Amino acid sequence: MTAAQKPGPVVQGTLDMLILKTVALQPMHGYGVGLRIEQISRGVFQVNAGSLFPAFRRLERRGWIQGEWRATENNRRAKYYMLTDAGRKQLQSEAREWQAQSAAIARILEATSGEV
Amino acid sequence: MTAAQKPGPVVQGTLDMLILKTVALQPMHGYGVGLRIEQISRGVFQVNAGSLFPAFRRLERRGWIQGEWRATENNRRAKYYMLTDAGRKQLQSEAREWQAQSAAIARILEATSGEV
DNA sequence: CTGCTTCTCTAGATTGTCAAGAGGAAATGG
DNA sequence: CCATTTCCTCTTGACAATCTAGAGAAGCAG
């Protein structure tokens, strides 16, 4: 039973970063981003539409991504989002901050006594 | 300027785990736990009293920590909390989950194309 | 036509955290 | 002795991100 816990929500505060990173690789529509995050996280995360779409609106409003209606591979209409230059900067900044935070948490979890 | 961003809030959802870990090392009072987390995180995190005390109440209500009034080193009264057995299990479980989550985020941040 | 899948989007509630404080008791400095 | 600072507990009210639980449209398969 060392394996696969049931999927859960994304770690709070990281969804924007994960979306930016995902659309940085290639323009994608919202639904696809959700699936991709589930896949790459290997089922650790599961993104709800009620989280996803507000996030896309948020990111677009802030100018970090830009949407455009296109046809999917399956002949449907979907809004494809791609990263802007500002979005690329934002992604770098959030990723850097995340590294610092997860390193800090790792330090705390590994602490064995009174180290500073 | 590669150095020390200004301190910010704890990553959402991790505060309980950080508190459990901190009191696991040695019984501590709330205020001290806050300072300790700031220290070990090297200023990455800064825990607000308005987050801290509700968290302690929450953890005690769930039976993961147990509080007791004692005198501090400085002759003051403070409520010292220590981990219960249930708390130890909970800490292990949360830490395991955290490892899975941060690994998943790392995978996403490092992705370069369509890997599954 | 019926039902399944893909895809977008909304409304309402919950939750964890924050900002901003109040207050008490010991130490410290004048 | 009084004033100030430091330590420590705790509360209130607001906010932002996420969730649950849907609706709705359009193509595909039976």
Side-chain angles (χ1 to χ4, degrees), chain A residues 9 13 15 48 50-51 58 75-76:
Chain A
L15 182 57
N48 195 290
S51 312
R58 194 161 62 224
N75 256 5
R76 297 181 181 183

Side-chain angles (χ1 to χ4, degrees), chain A residues 17-92:
Chain A
M17 176 177 72
L18 298 181
I19 291 176
L20 291 177
K21 171 65 189 185
T22 305
V23 303
L25 296 180
Q26 60 176 312
M28 291 189 79
H29 50 84
Y31 183 76
V33 169
L35 292 182
R36 182 74 106 194
I37 289 177
E38 286 180 37
Q39 280 174 8
I40 308 196
S41 78
R42 289 178 204 152
V44 174
F45 301 131
Q46 173 190 352
V47 189
N48 195 290
S51 312
L52 202 53
F53 288 95
F56 275 101
R57 244 186 294 124
R58 194 161 62 224
L59 296 175
E60 191 167 27
R61 179 162 30 87
R62 294 181 186 164
W64 297 335
I65 59 177
Q66 199 180 357
E68 176 190 318
W69 287 96
R70 284 202 214 155
T72 65
E73 304 162 351
N74 296 330
N75 256 5
R76 297 181 181 183
R77 283 171 53 68
K79 206 167 183 179
Y80 278 74
Y81 291 95
M82 57 209 75
L83 212 58
T84 63
D85 285 348
R88 201 166 307 273
K89 276 188 189 165
Q90 179 64 18
L91 171 56
Q92 279 178 10

Side-chain angles (χ1 to χ4, degrees), chain B residues 25-54:
Chain B
L25 296 180
Q26 61 176 311
M28 291 190 79
H29 48 83
Y31 182 76
V33 169
L35 292 182
R36 183 75 106 194
I37 289 177
E38 286 180 37
Q39 281 174 5
I40 307 196
S41 77
R42 290 177 203 149
V44 174
F45 301 131
Q46 173 190 353
V47 188
N48 194 287
S51 311
L52 202 54
F53 288 94

Side-chain angles (χ1 to χ4, degrees), chain B residues 22-29 70 80-83:
Chain B
T22 306
V23 303
L25 296 180
Q26 61 176 311
M28 291 190 79
H29 48 83
R70 284 202 213 156
Y80 278 75
Y81 290 95
M82 57 210 74
L83 212 58

